């Protein structure tokens, strides 16, 4: 995770392989979630730190060039999963080269279809899945550029539909 310090300058305030904002998912069966994200989204480079109870205390993996951190659900730490909470208001947005293929791969790995991929007014081919751990993922491929005026007109039409 880029946490080793540079001998000359000391540690970087933001590790070199991380971005300023990184999702940190709470999952019931976080170890299983790592396996699922590898199969469904091609995640790689998983780092695991298991706690004394054998459950995942901290994990990190990369999807494309972005890190996703994970931890096991732990009510004592006020870390509740979407399963415990009865849903989530958060979507993780995943840009890919082929939204349809990525959507199908996620379904084959065990995700549930929420919204099949469709061409959207903002220029993306876009669909939504829910993973077995309660997290929702929007999967998109940018297929056309949309100017500000066209975007406003399309939004008005979409809102009126």
């Amino acid at each position: 995770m880029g946490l080793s310090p540079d001998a000359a300058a000391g540690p970087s305030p933001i590790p070199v392989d991380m971005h300023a904002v990184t999702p940190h998912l709470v999952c019931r069966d976080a170890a299983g979630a790592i396996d699922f994200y590898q199969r469904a989204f091609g995640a790689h480079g998983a780092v695991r730190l298991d706690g004394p109870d054998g459950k995942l205390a901290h994990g990190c993996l990369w999807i494309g060039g972005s890190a996703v951190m994970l931890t096991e659900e732990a009510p004592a730490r006020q870390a509740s999963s979407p399963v415990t909470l009865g849903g989530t208001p958060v979507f993780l947005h995943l840009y890919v080269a082929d939204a349809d293929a990525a959507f199908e791969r996620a379904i084959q790995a065990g995700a549930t279809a929420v919204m099949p991929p469709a061409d959207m007014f903002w220029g993306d081919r876009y669909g939504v899945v829910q993973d077995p751990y309660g997290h929702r993922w929007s999967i998109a491929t940018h297929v056309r550029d949309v100017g500000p005026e066209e975007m406003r007109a399309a939004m008005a039409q979409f809102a009126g539909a």
Side-chain angles (χ1 to χ4, degrees), residues 69-88:
M69 294 181 185
L70 297 99
T71 191
E72 183 68 33
E73 180 172 58
R77 290 186 287 120
Q78 298 178 340
S80 299
S81 75
V83 173
T84 296
L85 296 173
T88 178

Side-chain angles (χ1 to χ4, degrees), residues 42-160:
H44 57 90
V47 174
R48 290 184 55 134
L49 175 61
D50 291 329
D53 61 359
K55 292 184 177 181
L56 187 72
H58 177 74
C60 188
L61 45 82
W62 283 261
I63 300 174
S66 298
V68 176
M69 294 181 185
L70 297 99
T71 191
E72 183 68 33
E73 180 172 58
R77 290 186 287 120
Q78 298 178 340
S80 299
S81 75
V83 173
T84 296
L85 296 173
T88 178
V90 176
F91 284 58
L92 295 131
H93 191 75
L94 181 61
Y95 270 114
V96 296
D98 183 339
D100 293 279
F103 183 91
E104 186 57 33
R105 179 178 177 177
I107 297 301
Q108 292 302 314
T112 302
V114 174
M115 183 182 120
D119 291 334
M120 298 305 218
F121 68 87
W122 60 82
D124 286 355
R125 180 118 179 114
Y126 176 93
V128 179
V129 299
Q130 181 168 309
D131 70 32
Y133 308 93
H135 298 284
R136 290 205 171 183
W137 297 76
S138 53
I139 301 172
T141 299
H142 188 69
V143 293
R144 67 183 184 88
D145 293 329
V146 179
E149 289 305 315
E150 182 183 357
M151 178 79 70
R152 278 191 271 288
M155 175 62 113
Q157 183 178 8
F158 179 79

Side-chain angles (χ1 to χ4, degrees), residues 2-16:
L3 299 178
S4 58
D6 178 322
S12 172
I14 299 172
V16 295

